[in-house]
Amino acid sequence: MSSHATGTRVQRMPRAQRRAQLLGAALTVFVSKGYHAAAMEDIADEAGVSKPVLYQHFPGKLDLYLALLDNQCDHLETLVLEALNSSEDHEERVYATVRAFFTFVADEGGAFRLIYESDLTNEPQVRHRIDALEAQLGEAIAQRIIQDTTLPLELAEMLGLAMSGAAQVMARTWLAHGTQFPLEVAAQAAGHLAWRGIGSFPVNRMGDPDRGTSGQE
């Protein structure tokens, strides 16, 4: 019998706390079943609430999914931005930035799948949010590349997107292979690969982020 069967009172809790609980339950269901196979009833059961309680907070399944997606996109962006600002040393920032992607995919619960393995990418709102995240991450990395090297803006933007994409692929590959190596070992190896590429470009000794697109000096 369902945990919210007749006669069972659902414990009241502050709205923000209830919302967080429902999102946690939805994450478990979406990761295990995928969006299309998941049902609102499954999420309500996972949370131990009635469907009316669930609908009080989220009008529909897509609303729940988008709320989760927003949370995880914000989380990954925060990890990457923190890494980019973690050191004044160019090399250390590259390693830290790559490691941020490994930290994200290693987080318990498999939340990264909402971004990188979603079965809902044909939904315009989902596609827009994921595309916006990729652009934001690429732009953030590109701005650091511009500050640290003599590369013109266009090349820095290309490399920013490439580095972000490569880092998430390497992190997911590590996870898919059963994490045969500890996170730090895998992230260090991936960071070394990234640094051998980025670090080969001439360093910007002037520290001028407004160099524009005129190319190397």
Side-chain angles (χ1 to χ4, degrees):
M1 181 178 293
S2 172
S3 60
H4 51 74
T6 302
T8 300
R9 292 179 61 86
V10 176
Q11 181 182 359
R12 296 185 63 84
M13 62 177 63
R15 184 173 181 82
Q17 186 179 348
R18 176 68 76 192
R19 179 182 172 86
Q21 178 206 21
L22 296 175
L23 286 173
L27 176 61
T28 298
V29 173
F30 284 139
V31 169
S32 63
K33 293 189 173 186
Y35 178 83
H36 294 293
M40 290 293 273
E41 184 174 0
D42 298 328
I43 296 168
D45 285 341
E46 179 69 26
V49 302
S50 65
K51 282 200 294 184
V53 169
L54 180 57
Y55 281 113
Q56 285 174 12
H57 293 264
F58 299 97
K61 187 168 69 168
L62 180 58
D63 300 279
L64 251 175
Y65 192 90
L66 290 172
L68 276 172
L69 182 61
D70 280 340
N71 285 351
Q72 294 311 312
C73 286
D74 290 344
H75 179 46
L76 176 55
E77 187 174 4
T78 296
L79 288 175
V80 172
L81 291 177
E82 287 177 348
L84 288 170
N85 292 300
S86 63
S87 172
E88 292 303 313
D89 182 81
H90 182 25
E91 180 176 358
E92 289 180 2
R93 280 200 301 272
V94 170
Y95 278 89
T97 301
V98 171
R99 189 184 307 113
F101 287 88
F102 280 78
T103 300
F104 180 68
V105 304
D107 196 20
E108 291 185 9
F112 78 95
R113 300 184 190 281
L114 297 178
I115 298 176
Y116 293 126
E117 298 177 9
S118 174
D119 60 349
L120 199 60
T121 52
N122 289 330
E123 164 60 44
Q125 294 181 76
V126 172
R127 184 73 265 162
H128 174 76
R129 187 66 180 92
I130 293 175
D131 288 347
L133 173 68
E134 292 175 354
Q136 289 161 354
L137 295 180
E139 175 65 18
I141 296 172
Q143 288 303 313
R144 272 302 186 179
I145 293 174
I146 289 171
Q147 293 178 39
D148 293 330
T149 73
T150 60
L151 289 173
L153 176 62
E154 290 89 345
L155 281 178
E157 290 177 339
M158 181 188 75
L159 292 176
L161 287 169
M163 182 175 168
S164 175
Q168 63 94 357
V169 167
M170 288 187 287
R172 289 169 57 206
T173 300
W174 164 72
L175 196 65
H177 283 76
T179 59
Q180 298 177 20
F181 302 98
L183 184 151
E184 286 301 323
V185 173
Q188 184 76 5
H192 186 63
L193 179 63
W195 173 245
R196 292 287 291 179
I198 298 295
S200 65
F201 294 107
V203 175
N204 174 30
R205 300 297 182 187
M206 301 299 293
D208 179 11
D210 298 320
R211 201 166 49 255
T213 60
S214 58
Q216 296 186 14
E217 297 178 355

